[in-house]
Amino acid sequence: MADGRDREDGPVSGEEERRFLAGYDPRAFTPAAVTVDVAALTIRSGVPHVLLVRREAHPQRGRWALPGGFVRAEDGPDGPADPDLPDAALRVLSEKTRLPADPHLEQLGTYGRRGRDPRMRVISVAYLLLAPDLPDPRAGRDTAEAAWIPWSDLGHGEGARPRVEPAFDHAGIVADAVERARSKLEYTALATAFLPPAFTITRLREVYEAVWGRPLHAANFHRKILATPGFVEDTGELAPSGGSGGRRPRLYRAGGAALLHPPLLRSAP
Amino acid sequence: MADGRDREDGPVSGEEERRFLAGYDPRAFTPAAVTVDVAALTIRSGVPHVLLVRREAHPQRGRWALPGGFVRAEDGPDGPADPDLPDAALRVLSEKTRLPADPHLEQLGTYGRRGRDPRMRVISVAYLLLAPDLPDPRAGRDTAEAAWIPWSDLGHGEGARPRVEPAFDHAGIVADAVERARSKLEYTALATAFLPPAFTITRLREVYEAVWGRPLHAANFHRKILATPGFVEDTGELAPSGGSGGRRPRLYRAGGAALLHPPLLRSAP
DNA sequence: CCAAAAGTGTTTCTAATACACCCATGT
DNA sequence: ACATGGGTGTATTAGAAACACTTTTGG
């Protein structure tokens, strides 16, 4: 076996490497199409929704699907290449929705089962996007319709029966997105991504209740949030009156912390 | 906006769909190469290691890299298509290492930055593999050498200076793998993937100590593991004598639980 | 007997929970 | 005044951490 000395980096010979690259043919490998799909989640009046579009083009014409599209691998007639996969995700989605300035975007997973798309081998990199309440989307190219669909219509949540069966394997991708969002609320400060820049503790609690589908103890939640360093920062302001009476709550903004110590665990009911 | 009724699934007209697919040309899209890379982690005598291979082919000839290779999108001269991405990962890796019967394999992330490979646009799906102590790998096709490299040689861990700088963006992939493993030990029962089928609580603790790079309180760890339902099951047997004296510890096997309730949190020192 | 390693008992402290209560505001 | 929602005090309980101690084995 190699000893320590042998583990030093080997040479990367410049001249030979240049000659190799000059003679390289990128068409030599079997192509697979690479797409990005975006599972955009938001909360509208206390109910979690996912953004879906109705396909106007084949295959699976007429079905609801995640907004997605092909990654631009190289500069071409359609436009410049996507510098990285998150750029592709935001490009594809902004063709269909007006996005907030700084949405939370994270990679969810990559789906490449043979036969998941009838046209050819398609590898889809799925992204999870969390956003505060966005305006209704407008349908884009190849799209008959675009809408925010409640999770419950896809069978997620307490006793919800599925009413929509998305195209391809997108039902599974949405399920993964929902589960990712639920578990990330436990140990990250991600819930604030569902809220506008300034919010009250009660709004934050409603995010948790909507995503987890379970009521939380308001008083203890309040204390726990304030006791978690870096989760929220006091703006010093109060929310405008709600109209129906009650004390005006303080306004907070997202703090610097990404991870929560300690986490907020959801346990059994 | 669509009302509830409109959200029902649209028709997927069979005849029209068939005609569309018959006329479809898979070469119409800009190709990108899709590869799988495997970050295989193990622990050898208390020290965490990652499997790397030294590249014999261009580009980046002579550098250490993660074992990886192109996904077989369709059946071809090299062999049948990979049914799914995890199959591709195991195929690529088993060409270089003798694998345990049931290794833990999970997707880590997908890397597609433009320019990360000088040949062409390459989208790499990275997998994390956790395994008990494996035999030394043998070098395979296009591989000058294959070896288990300590994480510390890549700069991970207490005050470790990097001695190996992997090819492409593989240093970042290994960093993601290490961080994923560290955090998954907290809230899943994954540590047992580093151990043989039967193990002692002390061996399990040594896994945590190696991955987290920090000593744990033996007595409290012992109790906490046994108090976590489904983490381990008593085999009823005792480990053979260690030779240097001391009580013979009980042997346990992995329990059914995937998630730990409550989690084992690593906090500050 | 002594050393070494496994495993248990016990105390102390911190954090989660539940519930009562006070505060600020609209009607 | 009183209803409504925000926010705090406090007792109870569960769990984490620290440390002393017992048990089982080899030399």
Side-chain angles (χ1 to χ4, degrees), chain A residues 1-13 16-17 20-21 24-27 29-34 44 49 54 58-64 70-75 81-85 107-115 117-121 123 125 127 136 145-150 153 163-166 180 186-187 261-263 265-267, chain B residues 1-13 16-17 20-21 24-27 29-34 44 49 54 58-64 70-75 81-85 107-115 117-121 123 125 127 136 145-150 153 163-166 180 186-187 261-263 265-267:
Chain A
M1 183 191 155
D3 69 9
R5 191 66 196 79
D6 283 356
R7 288 198 192 113
E8 304 290 331
D9 294 321
V12 177
S13 61
E16 198 187 347
E17 181 101 356
F20 164 80
L21 289 172
Y24 184 81
D25 173 21
R27 289 258 167 185
F29 294 98
T30 318
V34 181
R44 307 191 116 192
H49 289 69
R54 203 196 274 279
H58 284 286
Q60 303 260 346
R61 181 168 183 224
R63 294 202 98 144
W64 290 101
F70 291 90
V71 171
R72 285 191 195 141
E74 309 290 351
D75 295 330
D82 297 307
D84 202 348
L85 296 172
Q107 200 180 101
L108 185 59
T110 299
Y111 301 79
R113 213 193 59 247
R114 197 184 192 190
D117 188 304
R119 289 169 287 186
M120 63 187 297
R121 192 67 183 257
I123 311 291
V125 185
Y127 276 83
D136 277 325
E145 192 180 350
W148 290 103
I149 308 287
D153 281 9
R163 307 176 58 222
V164 173
E165 287 186 16
R180 172 78 67 93
E186 288 191 306
Y187 55 94
H261 280 287
L265 300 176
R266 56 177 163 153
S267 30
Chain B
M1 180 184 158
D3 70 9
R5 191 68 197 76
D6 283 356
R7 289 199 190 112
E8 303 289 331
D9 294 322
V12 178
S13 60
E16 197 187 349
E17 181 101 354
F20 164 80
L21 288 172
Y24 184 81
D25 173 21
R27 290 259 168 185
F29 295 96
T30 317
V34 181
R44 308 191 114 193
H49 289 68
R54 203 197 274 278
H58 284 288
Q60 304 261 344
R61 182 168 182 224
R63 296 201 98 143
W64 289 101
F70 290 89
V71 171
R72 285 192 193 138
E74 309 290 351
D75 295 332
D82 297 308
D84 203 347
L85 296 172
Q107 201 180 99
L108 185 58
T110 299
Y111 301 79
R113 213 195 59 246
R114 197 183 192 193
D117 188 304
R119 288 169 287 185
M120 62 186 298
R121 191 67 183 254
I123 311 291
V125 185
Y127 277 83
D136 276 326
E145 191 180 350
W148 291 103
I149 309 287
D153 280 9
R163 307 177 59 222
V164 172
E165 286 185 16
R180 172 79 67 94
E186 290 190 303
Y187 56 95
H261 281 286
L265 300 177
R266 55 175 163 155
S267 30

Side-chain angles (χ1 to χ4, degrees), chain B residues 158 160 172 183 229-230:
Chain B
E158 202 64 35
S183 74

Side-chain angles (χ1 to χ4, degrees), chain A residues 42-45 131-135 148 194-196:
Chain A
T42 195
I43 297 174
R44 307 191 116 192
S45 40
D133 200 349
L134 293 179
W148 290 103
F194 284 115
L195 293 170

